[in-house]
Amino acid sequence: MDKKVKELVLEMTRASDEERIGFPDVVRQLMEAGVERYHADLVTSTKTYYMPDGAFEIVSCHETPAPALQFSADGVEAAVRAIQKQEIQYQEFCERIAHAGCAGYFVAISGKRATYYGRSSETYVEWFPGAKP
């Protein structure tokens, strides 16, 4: 991963944590830089960004409460809807999905979806607006 992309993923992580940027802008900038996907691990407070050639960068991010033992796809979906409607911002979004049992999520930029997972690999998939499953 070249230096410019490393700087970009660090800035996207910081901007998200500081609630200076929303998800659509993050995805757009990462896509323009050629990032294929990223993984947000709520347990380790890290995000890992991946390039198509296998290069990756791990960035520390804000801490989130430990995920609940039981996964609630409905709870994750409710948090997704709330942030889409701009009723909440990123920090509260992460807290809500953790309370819903989400341990982390993958954002597949090329696949146009986010997959939220629980401790036992239960999942909830949210397609990007306008994307078709």
Side-chain angles (χ1 to χ4, degrees), residues 36-37 107-114 125-128 131-133:
E36 180 180 69
R37 68 191 188 283
V107 175
I109 295 169
S110 59
K112 298 181 179 175
R113 72 190 105 183
V125 177
E126 177 69 23
W127 291 87
F128 292 1
K132 294 185 178 182

Side-chain angles (χ1 to χ4, degrees), residues 1-126:
M1 185 177 291
D2 72 31
K3 184 180 176 182
K4 281 187 174 185
V5 178
K6 285 182 180 186
E7 290 171 355
L8 175 72
V9 300
L10 179 59
E11 173 55 21
M12 291 298 96
T13 301
R14 286 182 180 159
S16 292
D17 286 353
E18 295 168 5
E19 300 176 337
R20 294 185 280 118
I21 192 169
F23 181 76
D25 291 328
V26 170
V27 169
R28 181 185 53 76
Q29 290 189 49
L30 293 174
M31 187 178 349
E32 289 172 0
V35 175
E36 180 180 69
R37 68 191 188 283
Y38 69 92
H39 172 233
D41 188 326
L42 301 181
V43 176
T44 63
S45 302
T46 59
K47 286 185 179 173
T48 306
Y49 297 86
Y50 300 90
M51 300 299 287
D53 66 1
F56 65 92
E57 184 72 11
I58 301 172
V59 179
S60 294
C61 57
H62 75 283
E63 290 185 21
T64 304
L69 295 176
Q70 298 298 315
F71 184 78
S72 167
D74 290 341
V76 172
E77 183 179 14
V80 168
R81 297 292 168 258
I83 199 164
Q84 286 173 337
K85 293 176 185 173
Q86 300 180 333
E87 296 170 350
I88 61 172
Q89 292 199 37
Y90 186 64
Q91 297 281 343
E92 185 173 346
F93 170 76
C94 290
E95 289 174 13
R96 286 189 185 188
I97 63 174
H99 289 303
C102 182
Y105 59 91
F106 291 93
V107 175
I109 295 169
S110 59
K112 298 181 179 175
R113 72 190 105 183
T115 304
Y116 300 86
Y117 63 89
R119 293 172 176 244
S120 299
S121 294
E122 309 91 338
T123 59
Y124 169 75
V125 177
E126 177 69 23

